[in-house]
Amino acid sequence: MPRVQEHPNHPEGGRKYGAFQTEIYKNGILDNKLPTVTTDPNKLEEQARHHLGARSFNYVAGGAGEKATMDANRLAFRQWKMIPRMLRPTTHRDLRVEIFGQKLESPLLIAPVGVQTIFHHDKELGVAEIARETGLPYILSTASSSSIEEVAEANGDGTRWYQLYWPQDHEITKSLLRRANSNGFKVLVITLDTWALAWRPADLDNAYVPFASGIGDQTGFSDPAFRAKFAKLYDNKTPEDDIFLASRQWEADVFSGAAHTWEDLDLIKAQWNGPIVLKGIQHVEDAKRAAEMGMHGIVVSNHGGRQLDGAIGSLEVLPEIVEAVGDKLTVLFDSGVRTGVDVIKALCLGAKGVLIGRPFVYGLAVGGRLGARDVLRGILADLDQSMGLAGIRTIADCNRSMIRRVQYGGDTISSH
């Protein structure tokens, strides 16, 4: 397997991510080698479509209902425009940040995306590896097709967080948290908006849910508490003895259709000894409640439009949430991010970090781990270069003075 090239160091510290642009031109001019994965964010989804079967493509590209929430996410970004400043010392940018005491190379984080094996055989292990080499935190989904332990090994000394789809069974929840904690996952991200699957026509029309056949269930199948429960319920069977039965049991625990409550967070707090982040916050009152409950952070997110159709675009509510709780906890952002400029806009509106989801999956589909790497390097390069062109030298310089809300009648969504 070819080794991923390290980014050159920034002369003043940090990585010079913008150098990826020069690398692309150099490869083309000197070696007649073009990028494997398109650098055009409006063509990336379509390129991935040609590398995936209908079921796999629809699973990642599809959304809830008529995709109104997905549209809202992209339209929200179009309503904010950059206001560049000139004659500033931005020749060298510094993208480094600190989140939850962790010193990070950039404000980008790899969002938790499940069942990555349906996109490429490199799956989570390949992405966890390039996350380390690219300097990005990797957030592992509970719906992974690789175990917690396998991903930790692949990620090595990288930064990794664990995303929890919250089981109803407390013993299984505690077991998952113990495993994540003991394998170097430093931050817990609890997804609140997916205790049941949404109405997703792209999956429904193919009658496809990967978990039903054991795909994306590896976290459960490898968990001691789940295996013990399964054996007790089904005459000492193991998940390997009956994949379909085990899949149904795991789904019943994780996507049970029964919602948790705020009071249930006390169990999590008692079991996890690091920062806890709630993902799926879109209402100011929920953000305030998270702060009152002692949460360390939130992710302003609508699950990329995959859960509630007709919901507000996440960027639309980001400013008011930051104003309400930004001094009490760390506000992160995802949903609809496609470019480096999108990242700048979210940062200017108060986010401290930004999660990238579908784009890296499309890159994974096109070129495996190296395809995912190049998509992420492209977004980082765009972020780096665009900061310089906008007159922004550091992430701390991303503020409201750099953007303005302008609603042009001709603005339309670019891509999902």
Side-chain angles (χ1 to χ4, degrees):
M1 182 178 290
R3 178 159 179 80
V4 176
Q5 180 179 344
E6 298 287 348
H7 291 274
N9 287 329
H10 190 289
E12 298 176 4
R15 302 192 189 198
K16 189 178 178 184
Y17 287 108
F20 184 46
Q21 181 187 61
T22 303
E23 180 182 323
I24 291 173
Y25 285 131
K26 181 180 176 181
N27 288 340
I29 294 168
L30 298 182
D31 300 323
N32 198 31
K33 181 181 178 182
L34 300 180
T36 300
V37 182
T38 179
T39 61
D40 186 338
N42 291 327
K43 295 179 180 178
L44 182 58
E45 181 181 298
E46 190 60 28
Q47 187 181 23
R49 182 196 296 271
H50 294 301
H51 288 78
L52 293 172
R55 287 182 168 183
S56 297
F57 176 77
N58 286 335
Y59 185 80
V60 62
E66 63 163 342
K67 294 188 176 181
T69 305
M70 292 178 67
D71 290 345
N73 284 335
R74 291 304 299 145
L75 283 167
F77 276 103
R78 284 295 183 98
Q79 308 307 307
W80 289 95
K81 312 297 181 183
M82 300 296 304
I83 310 173
R85 299 293 303 274
M86 299 296 120
L87 297 176
R88 287 183 165 188
T90 59
T91 302
H92 303 299
R93 281 78 59 193
D94 189 347
L95 275 61
R96 292 174 297 178
V97 297
E98 184 172 316
I99 299 177
F100 302 127
Q102 298 178 327
K103 297 184 186 302
L104 306 176
E105 295 286 349
S106 82
L108 265 65
L109 304 96
I110 298 179
V113 177
V115 294
Q116 291 179 27
T117 191
I118 70 174
F119 310 121
H120 194 277
H121 57 76
D122 282 352
K123 56 181 182 177
E124 291 86 0
L125 303 183
V127 178
E129 181 181 340
I130 63 96
R132 172 181 59 81
E133 295 172 348
T134 314
L136 302 182
Y138 181 74
I139 308 178
L140 174 64
S141 170
T142 297
S144 173
S145 39
S146 304
S147 72
I148 292 171
E149 293 76 12
E150 289 171 331
V151 171
E153 183 178 0
N155 190 238
D157 60 358
T159 300
R160 51 188 175 271
W161 300 3
Y162 183 69
Q163 177 268 337
L164 180 69
Y165 282 129
W166 195 348
Q168 288 294 319
D169 187 309
H170 293 338
E171 292 306 312
I172 293 176
T173 298
K174 289 189 284 187
S175 180
L176 295 179
L177 298 186
R178 282 195 298 270
R179 292 170 65 197
N181 233 326
S182 63
N183 281 279
F185 292 82
K186 300 300 185 183
V187 177
L188 179 65
V189 180
I190 307 174
T191 296
L192 303 180
D193 57 16
T194 315
W195 46 272
L197 294 180
W199 185 261
R200 299 177 184 175
D203 294 332
L204 289 165
D205 285 352
N206 286 300
Y208 180 65
V209 56
F211 315 113
S213 58
I215 302 172
D217 297 337
Q218 189 55 36
T219 298
F221 290 0
S222 60
D223 187 74
F226 175 77
R227 294 179 72 88
K229 178 178 181 178
F230 188 74
K232 184 177 181 180
L233 289 173
Y234 300 107
D235 194 26
N236 288 320
K237 282 186 176 181
T238 68
E240 294 76 22
D241 291 330
D242 193 331
I243 294 293
F244 291 100
L245 181 61
S247 299
R248 288 197 298 274
Q249 183 61 51
W250 178 242
E251 286 181 70
D253 277 318
V254 178
F255 303 118
S256 64
H260 286 282
T261 67
W262 288 99
E263 290 70 28
D264 293 337
L265 287 169
D266 289 336
L267 169 71
I268 302 293
K269 291 164 65 176
Q271 297 297 320
W272 187 261
N273 61 9
I276 301 174
V277 178
L278 301 184
K279 181 175 181 286
I281 300 295
Q282 293 222 274
H283 197 291
V284 168
E285 293 306 315
D286 286 341
K288 291 179 180 177
R289 188 70 185 274
E292 292 169 1
M293 292 295 295
M295 299 297 101
H296 301 82
I298 58 175
V299 183
V300 178
S301 165
N302 55 37
H303 214 102
R306 293 173 60 79
Q307 281 300 99
L308 178 63
D309 194 32
I312 195 167
S314 290
L315 196 73
E316 186 73 25
V317 295
L318 177 61
E320 60 196 81
I321 288 176
V322 169
E323 183 176 356
V325 300
D327 60 340
K328 300 177 180 66
L329 44 69
T330 298
V331 179
L332 307 176
F333 178 85
D334 89 359
S335 296
V337 181
R338 297 294 178 266
T339 71
V341 172
D342 289 343
V343 175
I344 295 174
K345 291 177 180 179
L347 295 171
C348 286
L349 291 175
K352 299 302 182 184
V354 178
L355 282 62
I356 304 295
R358 283 186 179 93
F360 90 80
V361 176
Y362 293 147
L364 179 67
V366 174
R369 58 187 283 279
L370 299 183
R373 175 205 65 179
D374 285 352
V375 167
L376 293 167
R377 291 181 71 190
I379 293 173
L380 286 163
D382 182 20
L383 169 62
D384 188 0
Q385 296 291 83
S386 296
M387 282 176 57
L389 293 172
I392 300 171
R393 194 181 70 82
T394 71
I395 298 302
D397 296 329
C398 293
N399 57 59
R400 286 291 289 270
S401 72
M402 301 303 303
I403 56 174
R404 178 180 300 171
R405 186 166 186 169
V406 182
Q407 293 178 299
Y408 293 124
D411 264 348
T412 60
I413 58 171
S414 51
S415 68
H416 290 133

